[in-house]
Amino acid sequence: MRRIFVNLKRFEVPTALGGVCPSSHPGDWIQSVMDECLALGYGAHEAVQLVFFVPEALILPAKRSLAQLPTGGGAALEIGCQGVFREDIRRGGNFGAFTTNLPATAAMHLGCTWAIIGHSEERNDKLGALRQFAPEIDQDTDLCNRAQAAVDSMVNQSVLRALQANMDVLMCVGETGAERGDGDFRSQQPRIEAVLKRQLTGGLTGIGKVLADQEIVIGYEPVWAIGPGKTPPGKEYIEYVTEAIKTICQEQLDLEVAVVYGGGLKLENAGILGSITSLDGGLVALTRFTGQIGFDPGGLHEIIQAYLGKGDM
């Protein structure tokens, strides 16, 4: 089964207020998205597991659409949250004093079965906070390494909390342009692999103690290729990275993982990504990148069909 993840970022904010939700009622909009995806057959698609990561405000209305189905009728369409806090509610401990943060237990209770953790935006935010207190990070190799390790540790704590709350996890990893460095692809490979190894081993430390039936999927984000006007990596590059991630997880963590392309699965690259046998799916952010940028189920359907290499489901 191919795994297609959709990260709807800030789709709880209407376009009139500067967001990307085409409706002034985001709750109604997300319900219509779920309804249309189910009508397209994704809740029962044998070849595709579809997971939507939505802002906290959209979790309940999204789940409301799925709750109308017969038991198990939408098993292949799930709702996830956009990260969880590194500490959690527990009986006899903290009852929930986590103002501004989303504990894993709260996300699970709202109906989330997945969490996306370690997205490049999250990692950059955490590293940026450390830079405010130590601006010299980027000029001091030792300090930079320690800061990166601290970010990996925070990601790891969130991964553990999600797993302990019985949620599956999409953990994102990937190198920046500076980490990849100059030179041809062969000379870049050791540097790329070193970043991946650090993020994977740091982010997944200790999961053997909490991992039961949950699933860990790794999303590869080439941070240097994300954004308007950026050139995405080619097939050889992604094949190398996908295989490297699986090897590191197997050898260092005794863990078999699925790997999806997190740099942006879109119509333009879906065919190429779908032809990479070591890749298990992708992460979609938008379906329209020009004019009024946004997301619609019809566009998602086209992307998935192109990825699968099919004309019709």
Side-chain angles (χ1 to χ4, degrees):
M1 176 176 281
R2 297 295 184 176
R3 298 162 177 85
I4 304 297
F5 299 95
V6 181
N7 182 20
L8 288 182
K9 299 197 177 182
R10 299 259 64 93
F11 270 82
E12 83 275 47
V13 183
T15 54
L17 298 177
V20 287
C21 182
S23 170
S24 58
H25 300 285
D28 294 340
W29 175 80
I30 191 63
Q31 285 187 260
S32 70
V33 168
M34 294 296 105
D35 291 344
E36 190 169 345
C37 285
L38 290 167
L40 287 167
Y42 285 109
H45 198 316
E46 294 182 357
V48 176
Q49 178 188 33
L50 183 58
V51 179
F52 282 85
F53 295 113
V54 300
E56 188 174 349
L58 300 186
I59 294 172
L60 286 178
K63 291 292 294 185
R64 199 170 294 128
S65 287
L66 302 187
Q68 298 173 8
L69 294 170
T71 302
L77 200 165
E78 300 181 67
I79 304 300
C81 57
Q82 297 173 329
V84 297
F85 191 50
R86 56 186 175 271
E87 296 182 33
D88 199 6
I89 296 164
R90 60 185 177 85
R91 290 185 178 183
N94 194 327
F95 67 92
F98 300 115
T99 303
T100 78
N101 295 305
L102 178 62
T105 296
M108 178 274 295
H109 186 66
L110 288 172
C112 292
T113 54
W114 283 83
I116 181 172
I117 297 172
H119 188 282
S120 59
E121 294 167 3
E122 179 189 357
R123 289 179 183 272
N124 188 55
D125 175 68
K126 286 178 167 56
L127 191 59
L130 294 175
R131 283 194 180 101
Q132 289 184 352
F133 293 97
E136 67 276 16
I137 282 177
D138 295 321
Q139 285 73 47
D140 186 320
T141 300
D142 179 62
L143 190 58
C144 183
N145 290 338
R146 288 162 57 194
Q148 293 283 12
V151 172
D152 293 334
S153 177
M154 286 187 279
V155 167
N156 174 243
Q157 291 172 59
S158 293
V159 168
L160 294 176
R161 300 297 86 76
L163 292 173
Q164 288 170 328
N166 203 35
M167 287 191 287
D168 298 318
V169 171
L170 173 66
M171 190 183 87
C172 298
V173 298
E175 76 284 2
T176 65
E179 289 170 330
R180 180 183 62 155
D182 298 324
D184 60 19
F185 181 44
R186 183 172 293 277
S187 66
Q188 292 171 342
Q189 287 179 0
R191 296 190 291 268
I192 297 168
E193 188 169 341
V195 173
L196 296 174
K197 185 175 181 180
R198 188 203 79 228
Q199 292 178 341
L200 289 165
T201 56
L204 298 176
T205 295
I207 66 165
K209 298 178 180 178
V210 297
L211 189 63
D213 296 328
Q214 306 98 316
E215 185 174 12
I216 292 281
V217 175
I218 303 300
Y220 169 61
E221 291 185 291
V223 183
W224 52 271
I226 298 174
K230 301 290 182 66
T231 302
K235 183 175 181 179
E236 179 189 6
Y237 197 108
I238 298 173
E239 285 178 330
Y240 164 78
V241 170
T242 305
E243 292 168 2
I245 289 172
K246 292 186 175 184
T247 299
I248 292 168
C249 287
Q250 184 66 64
E251 294 181 352
Q252 300 293 320
L253 301 160
D254 192 25
L255 183 68
E256 290 188 12
V257 296
V259 180
V260 302
Y261 181 68
L265 172 60
K266 57 192 77 173
L267 193 58
E268 292 78 8
N269 64 13
I272 292 175
L273 294 175
S275 69
I276 299 175
T277 57
S278 58
L279 201 60
D280 302 292
L283 176 62
V284 177
L286 301 169
T287 57
R288 296 189 306 278
F289 292 85
T290 58
Q292 180 57 58
I293 64 171
F295 172 87
D296 67 273
L300 176 65
H301 180 67
E302 292 181 2
I303 292 171
I304 294 175
Q305 291 298 92
Y307 179 83
L308 296 175
K310 297 180 179 180
D312 295 299
M313 287 175 57

